[in-house]
Every structure is written in structure tokens, then in C-alpha cells.
Amino acid sequence: QQGARRPTRPESLRAVRALEEILELPARALTRLLEPAVRAVDHERPPGRTYRSLMDEPRPLERLLSELEAPSDGGLHTLCHMERVRIGGGRELLGRDSHHVVRAHRDGVDRYVAIHHGDPGCDPGKVAVRAAENCRLGRVRWHAETGVVVCELLFDTRLRTGDTYVFAYGFEDGTGGPSTEYV
């Protein structure tokens, strides 16, 4: 009740399960919050969700990534990612600015592949990509029907395993219809 203790005994966990039923909560809504947190070591992290899994039709994205010879694992773990999303007066996505802190988990990493998926009606040929800090713009590809832009952000150095790198970039859009979500 006061957050001073966590129920761990079998009879306490039965009471929590009973509360889930009484309150008509989804199964395990409370009990899963009581499970001990498992801290993964960097090299044991489960893979993150891919951009492909976020799209209805991932084949155009796969083709664009293939053109950039982008491996499915770019060799980087994200330590921190901050984004500023700008929405216009017509509720359209005007643009976004990203700041990344990454750590290499293999030697030789010298780039990051960024992906922008515009809102319905987006004209990816008019989306501008800006390399802001500690990177420069490499190849840029887009797919008109899906509103996807893919670009390389090239680092000024090749990272070694364990190296940390900070960089920033942005996409200027404003070409799509009203934005209803940002992923």
C-alpha cells in the first residue's frame, strides 16, 4: 500500500493475482511488475525492434537498405537517443532533430543509417536531410510510394569495439498530411 515492501511470498502473490481479477485487469498486469528486473550486459542484449517491423510493407525499405549495403546490425548500441519533433499549424510533421550517443560493439564502424518515414502524402524527394554534429551526409535514397527516406551519416573516424560516439542529424519534411503519431 505504501510502497515500502514488494510482495514476494507465495500467499502475497496469490493476493495480488486476486486483486487483478477483482479489478478486472488484464492477466499478469500487476504480477509482472513484481518480477525482478534482469540487467543485460551490452553484448547480451536482445535485438531491438527493426524498422522493418514498424512498416506495413517493408520490402521498399529492405531494397533501400540493400542499396546502401546496410547490414541488419550496424555494429552500434544506442546508449541515449533524444529527438525533437516539430509539428506545423496544419498538424503536419515539419521535421525532427536527433541526437545520439552510441557505443560500437564491433571494430570498424564508421557510419549510421538513419531512416525517416513520412506521414501519408509525404514527398520523400523534397525531404531534406541535415548532418548536424560529428557526422557528414553520405548517400541518400527514398521510395515515393511509402514516404521513406534512408541516408548514411558518415563518422569522421572508424570506431573500435567499446568506443562511444556522439552525433546529431535532422530531417526537414513538411510535405505530408496531418500527423497522428510518431514512431
Side-chain angles (χ1 to χ4, degrees):
Q1 289 177 344
Q2 298 169 348
R5 291 186 272 307
R6 293 174 61 89
T8 56
R9 298 182 319 203
E11 59 271 13
S12 299
L13 293 174
R14 279 194 295 277
V16 172
R17 283 192 291 277
L19 280 173
E20 290 172 336
E21 284 184 36
I22 292 167
L23 297 172
E24 298 179 1
L25 296 173
R28 297 186 27 80
L30 298 175
T31 52
R32 72 177 160 77
L33 299 174
L34 299 172
E35 295 170 358
V38 177
R39 187 170 184 275
V41 179
D42 279 355
H43 66 277
E44 294 176 353
R45 287 183 187 176
R49 290 182 61 193
T50 65
Y51 284 104
R52 294 169 182 94
S53 71
L54 300 173
M55 297 184 65
D56 293 331
E57 178 50 59
R59 282 181 291 198
L61 175 60
E62 290 169 355
R63 184 178 52 76
L64 296 174
L65 292 171
S66 175
E67 287 178 21
L68 294 181
E69 301 161 13
S72 59
D73 172 10
L76 299 168
H77 287 307
T78 298
L79 301 178
C80 179
H81 181 189
M82 297 176 289
E83 287 203 330
R84 190 181 107 205
V85 177
R86 292 174 279 116
I87 304 294
R91 299 188 340 236
E92 75 280 9
L93 174 66
L94 292 178
R96 64 182 178 99
D97 301 307
S98 294
H99 287 74
H100 280 267
V101 180
V102 295
R103 178 171 297 137
H105 63 83
R106 63 176 160 81
D107 289 340
V109 178
D110 65 351
R111 70 194 65 223
Y112 177 82
V113 175
I115 300 170
H116 174 73
H117 188 190
D119 288 313
C122 169
D123 181 351
K126 293 182 180 175
V127 172
V129 185
R130 181 177 31 83
E133 295 174 30
N134 296 324
C135 62
R136 63 188 187 286
L137 190 58
R139 297 174 289 176
V140 178
R141 302 289 187 267
W142 67 85
H143 185 260
E145 290 80 25
T146 58
V148 172
V149 178
V150 177
C151 69
E152 291 177 311
L153 297 163
L154 307 172
F155 303 156
D156 294 327
T157 186
R158 286 187 180 274
L159 304 179
R160 294 185 355 205
T161 301
D163 285 352
T164 301
Y165 198 74
V166 179
F167 64 103
Y169 62 94
F171 289 94
E172 302 301 322
D173 191 342
T175 66
S179 186
T180 59
E181 68 175 340
Y182 179 75
V183 179

